[in-house]
Amino acid sequence: MTSSGAPAPSDPPPGLGDQGDPATRVGALSEAQLLAAFLPRLPQAAPEHGHDVGNGDDAAVLRIGDERVVVTVDTLVQDLDYRAVWPNGRVTLGHDVGFKGVAQNLSDLNAMAAHPVGLLVSLAMPPGTPVDWVLSLADGIADAVRALGAQGCTVAGGDLSGAREVVLTITALGRLDEAGPVLRSGARPGDEIAVTGRVGEAAAGLALLDAAVPAGTAQGTTGRERALVEELVLAQLRPRPPLGAGAVAARAGAHALMDVSDGLVRDGERLARASGVRVDLDTARLAPFADRLAPAAALLGADPLRWCLTGGEDFGLLAAFPPGTVPPGFTAIGSVADGPAELLVDGRPSPTTGWDHFAA
Amino acid sequence: MTSSGAPAPSDPPPGLGDQGDPATRVGALSEAQLLAAFLPRLPQAAPEHGHDVGNGDDAAVLRIGDERVVVTVDTLVQDLDYRAVWPNGRVTLGHDVGFKGVAQNLSDLNAMAAHPVGLLVSLAMPPGTPVDWVLSLADGIADAVRALGAQGCTVAGGDLSGAREVVLTITALGRLDEAGPVLRSGARPGDEIAVTGRVGEAAAGLALLDAAVPAGTAQGTTGRERALVEELVLAQLRPRPPLGAGAVAARAGAHALMDVSDGLVRDGERLARASGVRVDLDTARLAPFADRLAPAAALLGADPLRWCLTGGEDFGLLAAFPPGTVPPGFTAIGSVADGPAELLVDGRPSPTTGWDHFAA
């Protein structure tokens, strides 16, 4: 120790060293466990302070003056959220990263039945990053706004800085109409559970990208199979949340709404817990989704229904509607019942950890 | 090339490799040059779309419904924006990083004469980061909100993820009253240039942290010198923007307003260019600031006036007021004249690059 009370320079840098008891490092905790310790230390609003929704839903609602503003932030980290080069040889373009960053943030607004208004972009990257890659990322942001139908949503600001790997943080702001927001906590016994958007496709794309041998290149592969492979890979690299469907659900009177970022089982369980109800998914209703993925699953020897149940990052919507009110564009896939707050699949418990033991 | 059109896995990962022409890498460009190429590719609003201020000022103003929302984002990256362990042996606490992240973002709101309403926190960090360090960071966020007087500003959401180094991205949202916003582009010939908050202290603190031998520990150092050293180090680690002063400047009729994040010379030049005027700083008016830093400068053999002119990260405010209207709390340090958009110091050109040649 020096006289200033600081450790000597040879001490391990906090936040980098792996010395000491591994149990005291963040890697020993789940994100949920870490958040449970982190959040209570932060200044959070009591509802009477004029904040409608804080941490815990897809996005926050802040009352600013007379307006309710929906805000959310999400980060993409190289080699954690995507690979610069995938095992199958595919290179992640800047365009892909920009597109996905926008998609996952606008999905959070969609999940609150909010309309996108603006984005802030914070990009950190190594000095060796090709300029062309960064400009391609900007193009991916612009293309996502257009392709997802978020016209009028602009990039209002941001910053660029250095880092050891690419870290893209996007903040999205949205406005609500009279029908919104719809939270994940409002499902009631008797409701129907429904989805819209893609199910299982991003997971299929991830499995194809992670395959050491590029699928669809073997002799005898049909053109139709190759086209499906490319479509599923793009579902992973450039997911397409069904923007506008959140507002449709709100106007149809949805009791609960969230996006599917971590898979039907995990997110369905979150909806069940937040609402204090039992949610039961009916795999027979997922068959059309699984059938579409079957040719790709056959190439990898995978189970397409499992992709549908556990695959994340499609950014479709999961909603609970009063019986008989599921609007066009949504597919009923389950039901809500009184009982312990849990998720069932075909009437049986479905562990989200230890999913390997699930008999699909 | 494989048949799928992707490079083979042995090709260099984009965004990581330093192969090829260094001139095509982001490290060859300044942030301004990179932004000049990046921004035009993004969807940006024409003023008639209802956005008041886009990229280029301290924060953006987004019209959401009937409200004008001020938003800004800033990122702190370990080993770029701070050192886990400084050359003088000081360890950066999680508390320091959380505090500074909040301070620099709320400063951007202050620079728009906006009142803080909410924050979003995105934190990426290595799995080996001590849990205690992360919880200390949360405490630093909470303490900054309290200590800077941003009562009522809450953390509305955020996310935690993995990364190779600590990357903290904070988004701040604020509301305007009738007097705001005040942009950096409104200075007029005849205006007085004034500052409030600290000048040169964070730069002095940085120099002290970067010194291989801890200053203030030598025999013969007085208690008063040691106290000053600690105060200046804290000015770097936990800067204190004068929140509320932005609204004071707006009500006093300021023509132009910005925060001093990169030093008086660099930021003064930005104000001059944005306003299309000549700004002349009077170093005699900076003498009280320099005098306060003199004992620390003597310890390092440094020039305290240079800290005042070029030192960043104090997050004070720089404003242009109509003559005779500088409000209490602000110190007049210069004047605005017709002429080429440039910054002068005591009537002479002051290069922001090549500052080493400046004869203070």
Side-chain angles (χ1 to χ4, degrees), chain A:
Chain A
M1 303 288 280
T2 69
S3 62
S4 69
S10 58
D11 284 12
L16 276 180
D18 270 306
Q19 300 89 339
D21 181 1
T24 65
R25 311 284 162 165
V26 296
L29 302 182
S30 69
E31 186 187 353
Q33 288 173 319
L34 193 55
L35 278 171
F38 191 79
L39 291 177
R41 291 168 179 258
L42 300 177
Q44 292 184 68
E48 63 267 28
H49 263 124
H51 295 70
D52 290 302
V53 182
N55 292 296
D57 219 287
D58 294 87
V61 182
L62 272 176
R63 198 171 291 271
I64 300 185
D66 293 330
E67 203 62 41
R68 295 172 305 163
V69 178
V70 182
V71 283
T72 183
V73 64
D74 240 321
T75 297
L76 281 175
V77 180
Q78 172 185 314
D79 297 329
L80 183 80
D81 293 304
Y82 71 91
R83 302 241 168 246
V85 181
W86 295 88
N88 81 338
R90 181 93 168 206
V91 171
T92 300
L93 306 175
H95 194 287
D96 299 326
V97 176
F99 195 105
K100 188 165 186 173
V102 170
Q104 69 181 19
N105 274 282
L106 295 187
S107 177
D108 281 330
L109 297 183
N110 196 30
M112 301 295 281
H115 307 276
V117 173
L119 302 171
L120 298 173
V121 176
S122 180
L123 175 62
M125 62 207 147
T129 307
V131 172
D132 281 351
W133 194 91
V134 179
L135 300 185
S136 166
L137 187 148
D139 292 342
I141 289 172
D143 281 354
V145 167
R146 268 194 301 272
L148 300 177
Q151 275 77 16
C153 179
T154 60
V155 176
D159 76 336
L160 303 176
S161 62
R164 287 192 218 177
E165 75 256 85
V166 173
V167 180
L168 173 65
T169 302
I170 294 185
T171 305
L173 295 93
R175 65 177 173 77
L176 291 167
D177 56 30
E178 304 70 36
V182 182
L183 310 186
R184 57 178 67 176
S185 52
R188 302 176 203 170
D191 282 352
E192 292 186 73
I193 293 289
V195 291
T196 192
R198 298 166 184 234
V199 174
E201 301 204 1
L206 182 62
L208 291 162
L209 287 161
D210 274 341
V213 177
T217 58
Q219 282 213 337
T221 311
T222 66
R224 207 165 149 182
E225 284 168 334
R226 283 196 297 274
L228 177 64
V229 163
E230 179 61 17
E231 221 174 294
L232 297 175
V233 162
L234 283 177
Q236 167 61 220
L237 296 177
R238 304 183 194 179
R240 293 179 166 256
L243 301 191
V248 168
R251 285 196 297 272
H255 285 155
L257 185 63
M258 67 185 300
D259 73 342
V260 186
S261 50
D262 294 331
L264 279 178
V265 164
R266 191 171 287 236
D267 288 320
E269 187 173 37
R270 287 177 180 143
L271 188 146
R273 287 192 184 164
S275 299
V277 296
R278 171 179 277 166
V279 169
D280 194 352
L281 301 183
D282 179 358
T283 56
R285 305 293 196 94
L286 296 173
F289 298 109
D291 287 348
R292 182 173 137 65
L293 304 176
L299 291 172
L300 298 176
D303 174 1
L305 180 61
R306 187 167 153 168
W307 283 339
C308 293
L309 282 168
T310 64
E313 300 193 291
D314 285 307
F315 303 111
L317 291 178
L318 185 66
F321 293 100
T325 69
V326 175
F330 282 80
T331 304
I333 61 162
S335 57
V336 179
D338 218 351
E342 65 180 357
L343 182 97
L344 302 179
V345 176
D346 296 335
R348 290 180 301 162
S350 165
T352 54
T353 54
W355 183 251
D356 285 343
H357 305 294
F358 177 71

Side-chain angles (χ1 to χ4, degrees), chain B residues 9-94:
Chain B
S10 59
D11 284 13
L16 276 180
D18 269 306
Q19 301 90 338
D21 181 3
T24 65
R25 311 285 162 167
V26 297
L29 302 182
S30 69
E31 187 187 354
Q33 288 173 317
L34 193 55
L35 278 170
F38 190 78
L39 291 177
R41 293 169 178 257
L42 299 176
Q44 290 184 69
E48 64 268 27
H49 263 125
H51 294 69
D52 290 303
V53 182
N55 291 296
D57 219 288
D58 293 87
V61 183
L62 272 177
R63 197 171 290 274
I64 301 185
D66 293 329
E67 203 62 40
R68 295 171 307 162
V69 177
V70 182
V71 283
T72 183
V73 64
D74 241 321
T75 297
L76 282 175
V77 179
Q78 173 184 313
D79 297 329
L80 183 80
D81 294 304
Y82 70 92
R83 302 237 169 250
V85 181
W86 295 87
N88 82 337
R90 180 93 169 208
V91 171
T92 301
L93 306 175

